[in-house]
Amino acid sequence: MSTDFRDAWATWHHEHERARADEHGFLAITSIRWLTGTPDRFDDAPGSWSTSEDGPVVVLDDGESIEVDGVRVTGTHRFGPLPERSSTAVLWQDGDETVVVEVARRGGNDVIRPRHPSNPTRVSYPGTPSYAPDPAFVVDAHFEPFDTPRSVTVGSVVDGLQHVYEAPGVLTFDLDGPQSLLAFNGHGDGLHVLFTDRTSGVTTYAANRSLDVPAPDASGATTIDFNRATNLPCAYTVHATCPLPPAENRLDVAVEAGELLPA
């Protein structure tokens, strides 16, 4: 293994851990609140919250305020209908602590998730162990696009919740034999995969792991680096709605690369 390969992985891993432990990252989430048509107050967020077909609404008491898109808001604020998987960050000053209240839509439901930097899950986060980087788990892959992208429904770590993703095609590669992964649209022109393998529930998180794949070239060629497989938020907090991998992405091989079970 070259020094450049090891150093590049270490730099990537350090940045990923830094982002995970951000003061308003998912480790700071103190609750997930499923909004209904009945206004409700919560002990870790300001105001009274409800939702309808017109989207989430918060009614702030006298003396309460939030910041939305850089503007101080008092009284009643209507967020409007939220697109699926979207999130809006609302700032709230709770004493000396700046709290981000995430207003989001997940699986057809409007939710809020307050993010307090002082949350013990974040403050006591010890870091996530990983397999040592191994070039053997960097594999050449070929992207085979569908004639038309497919809408794929997958389950969630929350019982009864479903997610729908657009799948543009399939990645094929060799790892102890021919393998394939259904690919979802990722960042930019890149692809994104969710998968399990023989290590799942043994040395790695049981429900899923996540991996970004670079955009294929004109011939469909790309590279999958399993050393950069990461845990989703549900590995760390019960306040997550993470998707489960599609059935096609349960690899019958031990992918001994990437992040291990959280410490």
Side-chain angles (χ1 to χ4, degrees), residues 125-154:
Y125 176 59
T128 298
S130 293
Y131 283 105
D134 184 349
F137 287 98
V138 182
V139 298
D140 294 329
H142 178 74
F143 177 64
E144 299 177 359
F146 298 135
D147 292 338
T148 303
R150 301 176 184 175
S151 292
V152 177
T153 300
V154 298

Side-chain angles (χ1 to χ4, degrees), residues 168-202:
V170 173
L171 290 160
T172 58
F173 56 97
D174 187 275
L175 186 64
D176 289 342
Q179 309 288 343
S180 66
L181 287 168
L182 184 67
F184 297 144
N185 289 326
H187 301 293
D189 294 328
L191 301 171
H192 184 73
V193 295
L194 301 169
F195 72 96
T196 58
D197 64 277
R198 287 183 185 173
T199 70
S200 301
V202 182

